[in-house]
Amino acid sequence: MIANSALKARSAPAFRLGDERLIKLTESAARKVSSSLTKQGRPSGVWRGAVVGGGCSGLQYKMDLQDAPAKRDILVETTGVRVVVDPKSALYVTGSELDYIDALDGGFKVKNPNAATSCSCGESFTA
């Protein structure tokens, strides 16, 4: 019985499932993330969004591509892309939308309803 319990504990995911109320990607962002994952040889990988201290407004976004969710992550499937957010960052990004603008001054843009203010470059915010 103990061996069976240990096997179940090992096979259970260490992450939680969330939904698009946490974060969602536009079609444009999803295409860019999928393309980047494929180029890196990680077609079944995940896009990680996080909030860290820094920037001129106090908080800034950190984005990365990874192979799989980490322990305690919240996994969201949105527009065909797997997105992960750590629980602490989830407090700041809930309700956000990630867009990608293909232009000279474009790139990834976060529309965050929790941001009270942001800096002029749009790279950092306060909540």
Side-chain angles (χ1 to χ4, degrees), residues 37-51:
L37 284 166
T38 300
K39 283 180 186 175
Q40 285 193 2
R42 305 174 184 197
S44 61
V46 298
W47 176 87
R48 171 174 298 285
V51 173

Side-chain angles (χ1 to χ4, degrees), residues 30-47 64-67 80-82:
R31 280 192 302 273
K32 185 64 174 176
V33 170
S34 292
S35 170
S36 297
L37 284 166
T38 300
K39 283 180 186 175
Q40 285 193 2
R42 305 174 184 197
S44 61
V46 298
W47 176 87
D64 194 15
L65 301 175
Q66 297 181 334
D67 292 325
V81 174
R82 296 181 342 137

Side-chain angles (χ1 to χ4, degrees), residues 28-114:
S28 178
R31 280 192 302 273
K32 185 64 174 176
V33 170
S34 292
S35 170
S36 297
L37 284 166
T38 300
K39 283 180 186 175
Q40 285 193 2
R42 305 174 184 197
S44 61
V46 298
W47 176 87
R48 171 174 298 285
V51 173
V52 296
C56 47
S57 291
L59 297 170
Q60 63 186 2
Y61 301 107
K62 182 178 177 187
M63 301 173 194
D64 194 15
L65 301 175
Q66 297 181 334
D67 292 325
K71 186 176 181 181
R72 299 192 48 196
D73 277 343
I74 302 167
L75 173 69
V76 175
E77 297 238 5
T78 171
T79 324
V81 174
R82 296 181 342 137
V83 172
V84 293
V85 177
D86 65 87
K88 196 171 190 178
S89 296
L91 298 171
Y92 297 104
V93 300
T94 297
S96 294
E97 179 181 71
L98 179 71
D99 193 13
Y100 181 78
I101 300 165
D102 193 11
L104 185 60
D105 64 342
F108 286 105
K109 303 290 182 190
V110 179
K111 295 176 188 166
N112 186 342
N114 306 301

